[in-house]
Amino acid sequence: MKIEILSLFPEMFQGVLHESIMKRAQEKGEVDFAVVNFRDYTTNKHNKVDDYPYGGGAGMVLTPQPIFDAVADLKAQSECTPKVILMTPQGRPFTQKIAEELAQEEHLILVCGHYEGFDERIVEHLADDELSIGDYVLTGGELAAMVVTDAVVRLLDDVIEHDSHANDSFSMGMLEYPHYTRPADYQGMAVPDVLLSGHHKNIEQWRHEQALIRTAKRRPDLLANITLTADEQQLIAPFLTVSSSVQKK
Ligand code: SAH
């Protein structure tokens, strides 16, 4: 897979794309990253990428020319039809499901906005999709592009152990069960006995129940999308009272 990121601040990506699992994914040839500064595509004398908004108001707006030309150039060099995605708080809320869909693509072009954002013609005529990483406003799309890249790349074949994402939070439509590692007793805080029992079936059952209970306690909204057996409904019923809250008590 190829992921190209259009940004005015390419240096911001150095650490994120060249450390840890993202670095390994690239070394294994699972992904090829390129960060391109769309300022390099400006045709005006001062390499300006933004201008005042028509109609007045605060802030600057990213002009169409550099972004249209940068995307056209990257598309011309691509062997397939890349998917052009704008990072914007007005986009579709990014989820694990969208990460799974994007992991099937061959080539993504993520465009990072800045200032007041994009001229609307970029949104209407250049973007195939728009993604938001949450209901808050960042100064630029770089952190959002990093979040999307990280979530997508960890799903690619051979990047991390396959089993580890089957159970990940959200993959099964609920939160993942709690994890414990050595020591079995840390300063009087003990690991649940079942996990030390070596009884795989019981462990699997316990984990499934824990995943359901914590989803009921923390994210009851997620349960609307999964079908529960009568036993499962009974198990979580006590946690679905009025006191259920997404906030940790
Ligand atoms: N005035 C715009 C916000 C601009 S923020 C509005 O109200 O919609 C500047 C840039 O940061 C955006 O163009 C976008 O690329 C990025 N950005 C900010 N918040 C974001 C979010 N929640 N998700 C994705 N990108 C975001």
Side-chain angles (χ1 to χ4, degrees):
M1 167 179 235
K2 181 154 189 143
I3 302 184
E4 291 185 304
I5 299 169
L6 288 182
S7 163
L8 293 173
F9 302 95
E11 298 75 24
M12 284 179 72
F13 292 88
Q14 281 309 311
V16 171
L17 299 183
H18 302 292
E19 293 284 354
S20 181
I21 294 172
M22 295 302 110
K23 178 181 175 186
R24 212 170 64 209
Q26 205 167 194
E27 285 168 356
K28 282 188 162 179
E30 295 297 332
V31 64
D32 181 16
F33 298 122
V35 187
V36 174
N37 191 336
F38 56 85
R39 193 181 293 282
D40 296 342
Y41 286 86
T42 48
T43 50
N44 63 76
K45 245 199 344 233
H46 301 290
N47 299 118
K48 253 169 69 86
V49 291
D50 57 344
D51 213 327
Y52 295 99
Y54 275 123
M60 301 296 274
V61 177
L62 291 170
T63 60
Q65 180 272 316
I67 294 180
F68 267 88
D69 286 359
V71 168
D73 187 31
L74 300 184
K75 278 186 169 174
Q77 291 176 44
S78 179
E79 283 152 18
C80 59
T81 309
K83 189 162 190 167
V84 180
I85 305 175
L86 301 188
M87 298 298 125
T88 156
Q90 304 188 16
R92 290 199 288 159
F94 184 58
T95 58
Q96 188 66 19
K97 189 159 177 286
I98 296 177
E100 284 161 12
E101 282 163 23
L102 295 182
Q104 306 301 319
E105 296 284 335
E106 239 178 282
H107 186 174
L108 301 176
I109 298 178
L110 308 181
V111 190
C112 306
H114 232 83
Y115 318 113
E116 281 310 312
F118 304 102
D119 181 291
E120 194 62 18
R121 288 162 292 188
I122 299 171
V123 178
E124 280 184 10
H125 301 289
L126 195 62
D128 297 312
D129 203 350
E130 299 167 65
L131 291 178
S132 163
I133 61 159
D135 289 348
Y136 39 79
V137 180
L138 304 165
T139 57
E142 285 73 16
L143 290 168
M146 290 177 202
V147 167
V148 170
T149 299
D150 190 285
V152 169
V153 171
R154 78 186 279 285
L155 293 174
L156 300 178
D157 289 345
D158 297 330
V159 171
I160 52 175
E161 272 180 71
H162 251 309
D163 268 7
S164 63
H165 27 80
N167 284 319
D168 275 340
S169 293
F170 311 113
S171 296
M172 302 286 289
M174 53 186 171
L175 303 180
E176 198 184 29
Y177 53 79
H179 297 283
Y180 292 88
T181 185
R182 269 174 272 267
D185 188 310
Y186 177 66
Q187 298 186 353
M189 296 174 269
V191 170
D193 285 340
V194 60
L195 296 179
L196 309 174
S197 68
H199 193 303
H200 293 297
K201 218 164 166 231
N202 287 356
I203 293 172
E204 207 181 303
Q205 171 75 10
W206 180 85
R207 285 179 165 166
H208 182 65
E209 287 174 7
Q210 292 298 312
L212 278 168
I213 292 170
R214 61 174 41 195
T215 306
K217 277 185 177 169
R218 300 175 183 210
R219 292 293 305 276
D221 58 301
L222 295 177
L223 296 170
N225 305 317
I226 53 179
T227 315
L228 299 177
T229 64
D231 281 352
E232 289 171 337
Q233 285 176 25
Q234 208 180 345
L235 174 77
I236 62 168
F239 305 101
L240 286 174
T241 54
V242 227
S243 66
S244 271
S245 160
V246 291
Q247 273 177 1
K248 211 173 162 190
K249 297 254 159 61

